[in-house]
Amino acid sequence: MARTTEQDKVQILQRTLYRAAKADPGRRFHALYDKVYRRDVLERAWAQVRRNNGAPGVDWITIADVERQGVSQMLDELAADLRSGEWRPSPARRVLIPKPGAVERRPLSIPTVRDRVVHTAVKLVLESVFEADFLPCSFGFRPGKSVHDALQVLIDESWQGRRWVVETDIANCFSAIPHDRLMKAVEERVSDRRLLNMLRMLLSVGVMKEGLVRREVTGTPQGAPVSALLANVYLHQLDRAWCGGAGAGVLVRFCDDLVVLCRSRREAERALEVLTAILADLGLEPKAAKTRIVHLVEGGEGLDFLGFHHRWVRSESPWFRHVQFLARWPSRRAMQHVRDRIRELTGRDRLLVPIEVVVAEVNSVLRGWAGFFRYGNSARHFVTIRWYALGRLARFVAKKHQRRPAFGRWMVGVVSGNQLGLVDLSGIVIAPRPNKPWREKAERRR
């Protein structure tokens, strides 16, 4: 009960800040730093950090280590250091993680657990202020908004005739944002010197790789809890310029991934020119390899956006052959990503793991993947992935018993009776329709 009350206090703080910012778009907040080290804010921040269960930073102290040493003690020390101004962030640990379906790897900065708590506390305080300004075209990493909200705009606008699409993303967005210009964007709403100095420290603390600390003058630390919020604050200038009349077409931005839906090729070409110019003014640029103009037309090419492949198709029903619509299903990269994960869980190096544990882990992957892609025309792809999972389990069983593949198929398909308990993915797809919120549809189906 006490925890719920503390969370309610944080929510009250956030609502108060949001309402104040919304009521006065020109207001600059001068008393925010003291909110960061409030005990209830720090406890809420710790709860989020623990739930994410990330890797350790440069000090190699894990979340489990913090729990053994005492969470309350750590939060007390953090609050005292923040209150006195003695807190200093440690360099982030730099790791390179593979991008699904790509050869290149994404640089990730991992702060220490203590610093992640501070990052999250700053985010909890600042997010409410800037949420009052963010525009409807922005969807990424915002409370109450999701990938499917952004994708619903594609369905609605394509139905209205905007089927020329500018597809792009911002090149090296998280590493290219200039620190000085980002801070100017933050200062449009924040005048609290102590909080601004804290943000400057977080941006300039640098990353450690192979024992050396490297500090940059651009970029937000991708992987830090506050990073996506700061990117949205900076890219809000793009949204503001576009919606203020500079843009042509309907912009849909999910952090650094974006599309613009237009009614004609000429409008799309104009939109790309304007988009490139606005990004140049911000010191950014579209990624050339991912920038193109796509015409959504029956029999034409489609586009990949936010994990889905989108294509203009005609209804297969003999009663509705006259109906055309924007269909979507998991992209090739998304299909390959889930295959890779299933193959990893059923690999030779896990033959000593009990089959029940392996099935439970595969089911967890399938439920999460299907839960995301259920809002689309994904039924055939669900069948494909489930058959792939069954095949991998059959091979796993055969190898575990040092028998031929046919033995594994017989054990899974015949002897088991329920295919080892592998989750069924049939009958859960929801196809969104234009001008009808996907959230309401999902609730009616439950």
Side-chain angles (χ1 to χ4, degrees):
M1 184 64 68
R3 183 178 177 183
T4 302
T5 303
E6 289 162 359
Q7 289 185 344
D8 288 344
K9 289 180 181 178
V10 176
Q11 291 173 358
I12 291 171
L13 169 64
Q14 292 176 313
R15 284 197 295 266
T16 301
L17 292 173
Y18 176 85
R19 289 168 180 167
K22 199 71 173 177
D24 185 0
R27 176 174 176 177
R28 299 178 71 214
F29 291 78
H30 66 278
L32 293 175
Y33 184 81
D34 62 316
K35 314 295 189 300
V36 173
Y37 59 76
R38 268 178 39 172
R39 181 57 183 242
D40 54 348
V41 173
L42 289 175
E43 289 185 356
R44 178 74 170 273
W46 161 254
Q48 292 188 10
V49 170
R50 189 188 186 285
R51 185 166 60 246
N52 292 334
N53 195 29
V58 293
D59 59 2
W60 293 102
I61 295 178
T62 65
I63 289 176
D65 293 334
V66 172
E67 291 179 326
R68 280 193 296 269
Q69 295 167 8
V71 174
S72 183
Q73 178 182 343
M74 181 199 69
L75 296 182
D76 288 341
E77 293 173 355
L78 268 182
D81 289 346
L82 290 167
R83 186 181 297 107
S84 64
E86 296 179 0
W87 176 82
R88 295 292 183 273
S90 301
R93 183 166 64 91
R94 171 58 56 86
V95 296
L96 298 176
I97 61 173
K99 288 185 176 181
V103 177
E104 60 180 319
R105 295 192 293 173
R106 177 185 291 113
L108 196 66
S109 302
I110 305 178
T112 64
V113 174
R114 283 170 53 93
D115 289 350
R116 290 208 296 273
V117 173
V118 176
H119 276 257
T120 306
V122 172
K123 176 177 176 288
L124 288 171
V125 173
L126 283 184
E127 188 172 59
S128 301
V129 173
F130 289 103
E131 270 295 316
D133 295 335
F134 290 159
L135 298 175
C137 63
S138 171
F139 294 90
F141 307 105
R142 294 182 57 192
K145 291 186 178 291
S146 72
V147 165
H148 300 95
D149 291 314
L151 297 181
Q152 186 65 42
V153 178
L154 272 66
I155 290 177
D156 295 343
E157 295 300 332
S158 63
W159 185 261
Q160 296 297 328
R162 290 186 174 89
R163 294 198 285 274
W164 287 90
V165 184
V166 178
E167 174 192 7
T168 188
D169 66 14
I170 301 172
N172 303 315
C173 177
F174 283 90
S175 60
I177 294 176
H179 290 174
D180 56 343
R181 299 180 65 179
L182 170 59
M183 290 307 302
K184 287 182 180 178
V186 174
E187 288 171 9
E188 290 184 12
R189 275 301 205 172
V190 178
S191 59
D192 188 322
R193 293 291 111 190
R194 298 184 75 187
L195 184 55
L196 291 173
N197 289 336
M198 172 187 276
L199 288 175
R200 291 189 181 96
M201 283 194 295
L202 291 176
L203 290 172
S204 62
V205 67
V207 296
M208 181 175 288
K209 185 178 180 181
E210 297 177 352
L212 298 176
V213 177
R214 180 177 179 180
R215 292 178 172 85
E216 304 284 355
V217 297
T218 62
T220 62
Q222 188 172 5
V226 78
S227 182
L229 172 62
L230 293 177
N232 272 334
V233 169
Y234 192 66
L235 294 177
H236 174 64
Q237 298 173 91
L238 163 64
D239 304 339
R240 191 165 54 190
W242 192 275
C243 298
V250 175
L251 173 68
V252 180
R253 183 178 67 80
F254 196 94
C255 206
D256 57 340
D257 290 330
L258 55 91
V259 295
V260 183
L261 296 104
C262 305
R263 293 189 180 276
S264 65
R265 172 178 284 278
R266 183 176 180 180
E267 185 180 26
E269 292 171 347
R270 170 62 180 162
L272 182 54
E273 291 176 2
V274 172
L275 181 63
T276 303
I278 296 175
L279 289 175
D281 289 341
L282 296 174
L284 305 171
E285 62 181 357
K287 184 177 291 185
K290 291 189 176 181
T291 301
R292 61 179 186 145
I293 295 176
V294 178
H295 187 198
L296 297 174
V297 62
E298 184 184 1
E301 60 181 336
L303 72 146
D304 291 347
F305 184 54
L306 301 181
F308 284 87
H309 180 74
H310 306 262
R311 192 178 290 265
W312 193 257
V313 300
R314 185 180 295 275
S315 173
E316 296 180 354
S317 170
W319 294 280
F320 297 99
R321 287 293 294 168
H322 62 287
V323 176
Q324 298 181 34
F325 60 97
L326 184 67
R328 68 172 183 240
W329 51 79
S331 66
R332 289 184 179 179
R333 179 177 292 185
M335 294 286 285
Q336 189 58 49
H337 179 65
V338 72
R339 287 192 188 100
D340 291 344
R341 183 63 179 137
I342 293 171
R343 185 168 61 249
E344 178 184 345
L345 293 174
T346 56
R348 285 179 177 270
D349 58 336
R350 308 195 76 220
L351 290 178
L352 297 180
V353 178
I355 186 64
E356 296 82 4
V357 174
V358 172
V359 172
E361 292 173 341
V362 172
N363 280 345
S364 178
V365 169
L366 291 178
R367 287 192 183 99
W369 187 82
F372 180 81
F373 288 105
R374 65 184 294 200
Y375 303 104
N377 310 82
S378 309
R380 295 176 181 174
H381 297 76
F382 281 14
V383 171
T384 298
I385 292 302
R386 191 174 189 279
W387 274 108
Y388 178 81
L390 280 172
R392 289 297 308 182
L393 285 176
R395 293 182 63 184
F396 183 83
V397 170
K399 291 174 184 176
K400 198 175 185 66
H401 291 84
Q402 299 182 350
R403 303 286 292 273
R404 294 179 179 274
F407 172 81
R409 292 193 294 270
W410 178 70
M411 290 291 293
V412 173
V414 180
V415 175
S416 168
N418 66 347
Q419 297 177 327
L420 297 181
L422 189 70
V423 66
D424 186 7
L425 300 183
S426 62
I428 62 173
V429 174
I430 299 173
R433 297 182 180 181
N435 305 314
K436 292 185 178 180
W438 68 273
R439 291 183 190 272
E440 292 181 7
K441 260 199 289 289
E443 291 298 327
R444 286 198 299 269
R445 287 291 296 271
R446 289 176 182 168

